[in-house]
Amino acid sequence: MIDLNQKTPPGMVRDVAKRVRERRKEQRLTQAQLVEKAGMPLASCKRFEQKGLVSFQSLAAVAIALRCESDFDAVLSRRAYRSIDEVIAQSAARKRGAR
């Protein structure tokens, strides 16, 4: 079955860049002020906001500068289990993979 709501890498990148731009504007920061706080080149900030291209390290620096570094806690966080059966199945799968 095809999930029409499935995210794509380019779509995710655009969404993050848009949210960063919105957060920057909410805090009434110019791009120049943000890059000063984040310690990155202005061209990198512009490229990120326009095209979504940025290194992960620069993205982390921007998050810290915008005081939203806690948002990174959810990125690829540990999976929440819905039942003890899922925990047991995951443990069994790890044991089989370790052989």
Side-chain angles (χ1 to χ4, degrees):
M1 176 186 238
I2 297 174
D3 181 0
L4 298 177
N5 295 317
Q6 183 176 356
K7 299 251 182 188
T8 63
M12 291 171 64
V13 168
R14 280 191 308 272
D15 290 347
V16 170
K18 180 181 176 186
R19 287 193 301 269
V20 165
R21 184 174 43 256
E22 289 169 355
R23 185 77 53 101
R24 175 180 62 77
K25 289 181 177 185
E26 286 169 6
Q27 295 181 25
R28 295 188 169 109
L29 293 173
T30 64
Q31 287 180 332
Q33 291 168 321
L34 176 60
V35 300
E36 185 176 326
K37 290 177 79 169
M40 64 189 287
L42 181 59
S44 295
C45 181
K46 288 182 178 190
R47 185 173 52 249
F48 175 51
E49 287 193 4
Q50 291 171 1
K51 299 179 182 179
L53 302 174
V54 70
S55 73
F56 189 78
Q57 183 149 346
S58 292
L59 180 58
V62 166
I64 291 167
L66 293 174
R67 299 183 311 273
C68 56
E69 64 272 15
S70 63
D71 293 350
F72 275 82
D73 291 341
V75 175
L76 299 175
S77 63
R78 291 189 180 248
R79 188 178 137 200
Y81 295 102
R82 289 176 268 182
S83 71
I84 190 67
D85 293 330
E86 281 190 75
V87 175
I88 293 168
Q90 177 90 24
S91 178
R94 282 190 192 132
K95 287 179 184 175
R96 284 192 304 273
R99 291 182 188 162

